């Protein structure tokens, strides 16, 4: 199986990292919570920031985590049913990432979990869908 071009993986990852926050953003708006709470909480994952949430730090963490998982998905998702497998992979990413970070960081543990899981599924689904489109495009 030929490797996907890195540019396709980066493009899919970049788009997915932005739009995959829709479930938690919608939930925050509907429940009148701070829409940046999850971004701020992610900032506590940076070394030395365990108890200091922040939007910029959270953006850096989100970028790094999305880049890592985007590469993993781009290298491993099959070329058939890619969006479906991406969504399932998103569940796996949530199962790995959310409990590990949430147990260690109070700001992350305080977030409602279903929207966070939905964000991860959306990330995998969108990444897979965009990769399937680039896989199908003529070279």
């Amino acid at each position: 199986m030929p490797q996907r071009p890195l540019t396709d993986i980066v493009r899919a990852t970049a788009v997915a990292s932005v739009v995959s926050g829709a479930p938690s953003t919608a939930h925050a708006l509907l429940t009148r919570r701070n829409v940046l709470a999850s971004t701020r909480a992610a900032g506590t994952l940076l070394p030395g920031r365990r108890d200091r949430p922040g939007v910029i730090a959270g953006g850096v963490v989100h970028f790094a985590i999305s880049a890592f998982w985007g590469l993993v998905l781009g290298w491993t998702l099959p070329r058939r049913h890619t969006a479906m497998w991406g969504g399932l992979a998103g569940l796996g990413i949530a199962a790995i990432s959310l409990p590990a970070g949430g147990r260690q960081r109070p700001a992350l543990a305080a977030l409602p979990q279903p929207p966070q899981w939905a964000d991860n599924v959306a990330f995998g689904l969108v990444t897979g869908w965009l990769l399937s489109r680039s896989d199908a495009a003529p070279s």
Side-chain angles (χ1 to χ4, degrees):
M1 175 170 74
Q3 185 88 350
R4 288 184 174 99
L6 185 58
T7 55
D8 291 350
I9 296 170
V10 168
R11 189 175 306 116
T13 300
V15 172
S17 71
V18 173
V19 302
S20 65
S24 62
T25 300
H27 181 269
L29 290 170
L30 290 170
T31 59
R32 298 179 189 261
R33 294 176 179 261
N34 184 333
V35 295
L36 294 176
S38 59
T39 303
R40 295 174 67 82
T44 64
L45 293 172
L46 282 177
R49 295 194 62 95
R50 177 176 161 62
D51 298 314
R52 297 182 342 178
V55 173
I56 293 173
V60 169
V61 169
H62 180 67
F63 172 79
I65 291 171
S66 295
F68 171 77
W69 285 116
L71 286 172
V72 169
L73 294 178
W75 291 335
T76 61
L77 286 177
R79 292 179 186 271
R80 292 190 53 170
H81 310 293
T82 313
M84 179 198 69
W85 286 111
L88 289 172
L91 273 177
I93 292 168
I96 293 167
S97 299
L98 295 178
R103 282 192 295 263
Q104 304 296 324
R105 305 294 196 252
L108 290 170
L111 296 171
Q113 290 301 293
Q116 302 305 310
W117 282 73
D119 285 353
N120 281 272
V121 171
F123 176 80
L125 185 70
V126 171
T127 301
W129 179 71
L130 291 171
L131 289 173
S132 72
R133 291 177 51 86
S134 62
D135 289 346
S139 313

